[in-house]
């Protein structure tokens, strides 16, 4: 039984949720998000709570039950509070700067990497002397934010010997011992 799917979702003030033709629409002050739901799943809005019921106890339906609950909850939390991800550039000469929505990364390659970010994601770069540069990404869409953060990290993943590369702030890396003489 899906314990996540059985949990109710509370709707905070200022957020409107609507269900029409298997599409859940969540409207907030920032934007509007939509999520399509498989036929058979029932989304009931009772006052300021949402309950999701599944059509059967089939394995696939049980898996989707928790997924849909999490996706709807993420839309509501994102429009209410928002999500933030921070990436840290570890390495000598690694730099990050931005002009508006363009992120300019210097990661030790022969050229800089320039990435144009969508308008839904706010970008901020912090460079303090003596500290690693940090990229702060903020958005109301958790899926889009995670995809962009993973794309930036994929340009130079942290290597296991010195830990150089792009990593999430607070991420624990598995380190390997170097050559033993």
């Amino acid at each position: 039984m899906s314990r996540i799917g059985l949990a109710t979702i509370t709707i905070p003030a200022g957020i409107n949720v609507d269900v029409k033709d298997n599409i859940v629409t969540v409207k907030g002050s920032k934007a509007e998000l939509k999520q399509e739901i498989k036929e058979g799943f029932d989304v009931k809005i009772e006052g300021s709570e949402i309950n999701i019921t599944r059509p059967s106890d089939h394995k696939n339906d049980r898996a989707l039950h928790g997924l849909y609950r999490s996706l709807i909850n993420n839309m509501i939390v994102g429009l209410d509070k928002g999500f933030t991800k921070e990436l840290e550039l570890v390495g000598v000469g690694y730099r990050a700067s931005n002009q508006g929505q363009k992120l300019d990364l210097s990661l030790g390659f022969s050229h800089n990497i320039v990435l144009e970010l969508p308008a839904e994601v706010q970008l901020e770069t912090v460079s303090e002397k003596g500290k690693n540069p940090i990229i702060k990404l903020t958005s109301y869409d958790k899926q889009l934010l995670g995809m962009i953060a993973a794309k930036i990290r994929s340009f130079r993943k942290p290597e296991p010997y010195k830990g150089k590369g792009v990593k999430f702030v607070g991420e624990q890396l598995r380190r390997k011992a170097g050559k033993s003489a």
Side-chain angles (χ1 to χ4, degrees), residues 2-60:
S2 172
R3 294 187 189 129
I4 295 172
L6 292 175
T8 60
I9 304 169
T10 56
I11 305 170
I15 304 290
N16 296 327
V17 181
D18 188 37
V19 181
K20 274 188 187 168
D21 301 328
N22 296 332
I23 295 177
V24 178
T25 306
V26 180
K27 293 179 188 173
S29 59
K30 300 174 189 173
E32 175 181 319
L33 294 171
K34 294 183 179 186
Q35 177 63 46
E36 188 175 346
I37 290 186
K38 186 179 170 186
E39 209 165 307
F41 283 86
D42 191 23
V43 179
K44 292 180 182 158
I45 303 168
E46 298 158 352
S48 66
E49 289 189 341
I50 301 174
N51 288 314
I52 302 169
T53 56
R54 60 178 177 245
S56 69
D57 275 342
H58 190 267
K59 186 176 182 178
N60 193 33

Side-chain angles (χ1 to χ4, degrees), residues 117-138:
L117 299 181
E120 293 90 8
V121 178
Q122 282 73 44
L123 170 67
E124 181 186 349
T125 55
V126 179
S127 297
E128 294 180 25
K129 190 170 183 175
K131 293 186 178 176
N132 293 328
I134 292 177
I135 302 167
K136 290 184 182 178
L137 302 171
T138 309

Side-chain angles (χ1 to χ4, degrees), residues 107-125:
L107 298 174
F109 297 116
S110 61
H111 59 283
N112 285 2
I113 298 168
V114 179
L115 185 66
E116 181 76 34
L117 299 181
E120 293 90 8
V121 178
Q122 282 73 44
L123 170 67
E124 181 186 349
T125 55

